[in-house]
């Protein structure tokens, strides 16, 4: 009988802790103009994995957003068609449904807006125009029936519908039930003591002031409003020069507004174990280094090695369950598709 | 009662027909030194899909042998690391287990031998050496347990074992139960009348003298002995110049033997619907054109449009059932893997 009070106390502690932290939902809400359906998901998955809508027929969404890995491409910066490297690290597609806006600089408000961007980027998929990409889809007869099933019969092979389908698939790419999620949901044994210490340190030093919410990418925002911060905030602190973190001016490159210089959308911290190297330029190779740097550059704090190790243990507890992915069957290629 | 004799006659006809043609087996035999196991298949699948063993981290076996499509890459010739195009059309990996030898020029005797070739080819995966590729595998901690499970504990992360695992996975890539297979197995309604006509024409004009056996890639051969033919055999016939078919001298490029000039391993005809464009240089874009050309260049025959259409209908009946592919989960990347 003596042990009961202790269990009650532990349960109360877990319940109290849960109130401050959010678990990742099992599903993502869909916008009113693009309700998620099984048919859209299936078509979107086909388009996501299909490399035939790139200039050389070699690059698909999957090329840089590898869902067999961390939803990124394990490179510092990505390589697209013609072997040319881009300027930024591929953000993970896992849990992108929970981000306040898309791309590192938040220049796309929604997954639908994001999906069409890389198609005509000369160093990503490199198509001359969205019409050319659409022409490729239309030239593959097997796609038509999938557009009909997903969007109803008619003149439905449009870039808008392709983007809607891809976004519907991406909304299924959620990794729930991490040790952290189970802890927040009441399983006080799912996280190690070190990870729990790290969780408290994460909050007490101030990481959670930006990295809040279920994806640790900031608070819930109105649709299209991104959650942005200046990075680095404390330019004089940390190894900013070593990591060349000021060369890319972030949102300013998209908007041209002075106020957007070095402004970035806050990225998710889920599954960081799978998404090295880190930051917008992929210059930081280890979790230890990126935690140390972020404390310096964003919080003006030099945290000690034990604190770093604890926070890293906490971050590793954010690795969730990756849902099984069945490969789509892609329809046959007419022999002159890439002419 | 009157109908019974007719059914008997049809059944006898089907049985007689089946005796001359072979259905595709559901499974492929494995060599004595590499028995297929579930653990090897799982590891081999991971390695097959993993792009981290190429110079840029962007090219895997899957890049040119897309099992979501025809097991090839829908390009005339493939593109590897650094965006450089190779000289030949990617052969399909589907049913490669039934080929007498591997690569267009048969320079690898087995799937195991083939698997390591592209890794150090400068225009395919472009690694400096097999040791460098092995170093990448060893640098990803998550792989070790899979080698242990597949090959027993010990110093087992070797290129030989990696190749064995990939070959074990590739031996599962079989597409049985095509209309043709069902016909050969006694279902006389599985093929159209036109396809059956085409099957007979395929034999009577001589296509089956080379394209025999269950994969239509030639007769069963002793292990390592490839089934080769000269292509083109009749150089004065057909559009050889138009398709630039003599520029690549085939097996001669691998052996340097005069006798190997324009000698090629006979490719499979299964799933041709999915593998356009055709021939070693991918210069022929349609099944109609390739059937016409092969009759000219190999049989010195000018077959008419009806015969071509019938043979194409037969070839389309060789599209089988593609087994469902579940994506592997690839282990996490150390941040400095690609340094």
């Amino acid at each position: 009988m003596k042990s009961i009070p202790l269990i009650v106390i532990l349960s109360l502690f877990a319940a109290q802790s849960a109130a401050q932290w959010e678990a990742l939902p099992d599903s993502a809400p869909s916008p009113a103009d693009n309700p998620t359906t099984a048919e859209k998901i299936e078509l979107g998955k086909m388009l996501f994995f299909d490399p035939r809508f790139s200039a050389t027929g070699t690059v698909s969404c999957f090329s840089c957003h590898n869902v067999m890995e961390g939803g990124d491409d394990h490179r510092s910066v990505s390589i697209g068609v013609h072997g040319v490297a881009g300027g930024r690290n591929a953000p993970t597609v896992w849990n992108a449904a929970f981000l306040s806006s898309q791309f590192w600089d938040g220049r796309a408000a929604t997954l639908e807006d994001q999906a069409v961007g890389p198609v005509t980027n000369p160093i990503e998929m490199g198509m001359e125009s969205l019409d050319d990409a659409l022409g490729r889809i239309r030239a593959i007869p097997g796609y038509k029936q999938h557009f009909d099933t997903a969007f109803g019969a008619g003149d439905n092979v449009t870039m808008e519908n392709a983007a809607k389908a891809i976004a519907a698939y991406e909304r299924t790419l959620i990794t729930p039930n991490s040790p952290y999620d189970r802890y927040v949901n009441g399983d006080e044994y799912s996280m190690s003591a070190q990870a729990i210490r790290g969780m408290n340190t994460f909050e007490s030093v101030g990481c959670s002031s930006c990295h809040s919410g279920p994806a640790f990418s900031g608070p819930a925002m109105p649709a299209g409003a991104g959650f942005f911060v200046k990075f680095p905030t404390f330019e004089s602190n940390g190894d900013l020069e070593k990591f060349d973190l000021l060369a890319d001016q972030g949102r300013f490159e998209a908007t041209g507004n002075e106020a957007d210089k070095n402004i970035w959308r806050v990225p998710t911290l889920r599954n960081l174990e799978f998404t090295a190297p880190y930051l917008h330029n992929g210059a930081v190779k280890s979790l230890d280094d990126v935690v140390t740097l972020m404390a310096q550059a964003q919080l003006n704090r030099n945290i000690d090695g034990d604190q770093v190790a604890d926070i890293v243990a906490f971050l590793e507890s954010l690795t969730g369950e990756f849902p099984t992915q069945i490969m789509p069957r892609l329809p046959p290629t007419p022999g002159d598709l890439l002419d």
Side-chain angles (χ1 to χ4, degrees), chain A:
Chain A
M1 295 295 285
K2 265 192 164 173
S3 67
I4 291 176
L6 180 62
I7 290 175
V8 170
I9 290 163
L10 283 171
S11 300
L12 283 172
F13 175 78
Q16 186 184 23
S17 176
Q20 304 166 42
W21 302 87
E22 292 176 65
L24 196 68
D26 289 340
S27 63
S30 52
D33 65 348
N34 189 24
T36 299
T37 64
E39 294 77 11
K40 278 186 208 166
I41 293 170
E42 188 56 32
L43 170 61
K45 189 200 268 186
M46 295 167 73
L47 296 168
F48 183 90
F49 284 95
D50 200 325
R52 293 176 288 187
F53 315 126
S54 60
T56 53
T58 58
V59 176
S60 67
C61 308
F62 169 72
S63 302
C64 297
H65 301 286
N66 190 335
V67 293
M68 301 182 196
E69 305 182 42
D72 64 339
D73 62 3
H74 56 252
R75 289 185 45 86
S76 50
V77 295
S78 296
I79 288 183
V81 292
H82 313 307
V84 180
R88 289 182 185 161
N89 184 264
T92 181
V93 70
W94 290 109
N95 307 306
F98 299 108
L99 300 181
S100 59
S101 60
Q102 304 298 329
F103 294 116
W104 274 100
D105 54 18
R107 67 184 184 275
T110 64
L111 290 173
E112 285 81 355
D113 290 348
Q114 190 280 329
V116 298
V119 178
T120 53
N121 186 323
I123 54 172
E124 295 190 49
M125 298 172 72
M127 294 298 285
E128 288 284 318
S129 68
L130 290 180
D131 274 349
D132 283 356
L134 208 53
R136 291 265 183 95
I137 302 179
R138 288 179 175 147
I140 298 170
Y143 265 113
K144 176 59 177 156
Q145 61 171 300
H146 292 280
F147 277 84
D148 285 351
T149 315
F151 295 103
D155 184 17
N156 51 24
V157 184
T158 63
M159 196 49 67
E160 188 187 348
N161 282 343
K164 282 182 171 178
I166 291 172
Y169 168 60
E170 291 176 337
R171 290 196 175 93
T172 70
L173 298 176
I174 301 172
T175 63
N177 300 324
S178 69
Y180 160 83
D181 293 302
R182 298 201 303 274
Y183 182 81
V184 165
N185 284 331
D187 174 5
E188 64 260 44
Y189 301 111
S190 65
M191 278 170 70
S192 69
Q194 184 180 28
I196 295 172
R197 269 203 316 275
M199 184 173 168
N200 293 326
T201 308
F202 182 88
E203 186 171 37
S204 63
V205 302
C207 309
S208 56
S209 62
C210 292
H211 291 291
S212 60
F216 294 88
S217 56
M221 304 284 287
F227 180 61
F228 297 99
V229 295
K230 187 160 188 278
F231 170 74
T233 299
F234 298 95
E235 293 187 20
S236 61
N237 204 345
D239 293 325
L240 304 187
E241 217 158 295
K242 175 179 162 193
F243 296 123
D244 199 25
L245 291 171
L246 287 164
D248 183 337
Q249 298 190 93
R251 192 163 166 77
F252 172 77
E253 319 260 355
T255 67
N257 296 336
E258 279 294 315
D260 287 336
K261 276 193 174 166
N262 304 316
I263 293 290
W264 301 89
R265 184 213 54 189
V266 175
T268 180
L269 300 186
R270 288 190 172 266
N271 310 309
L272 287 179
E273 269 188 292
F274 281 86
T275 60
Y278 303 105
L279 300 185
H280 61 261
N281 62 357
V284 184
K285 300 185 187 307
S286 75
L287 273 180
D288 282 23
D289 284 353
V290 79
V291 166
T292 303
L293 177 74
M294 291 300 285
Q296 292 169 334
Q298 298 307 97
L299 302 166
N300 207 21
R301 281 168 178 269
N302 290 299
I303 59 178
D304 66 32
D306 288 345
Q307 289 176 302
V308 170
D310 290 351
I311 291 176
V312 167
F314 167 61
L315 294 174
E316 289 175 349
S317 79
L318 300 181
T319 297
E321 291 173 5
F322 295 89
T324 300
Q325 300 292 303
I326 294 174
M327 294 181 207
R329 283 295 315 155
L330 302 182
T333 308
D336 57 356
L337 184 76
L338 299 184
D339 275 358

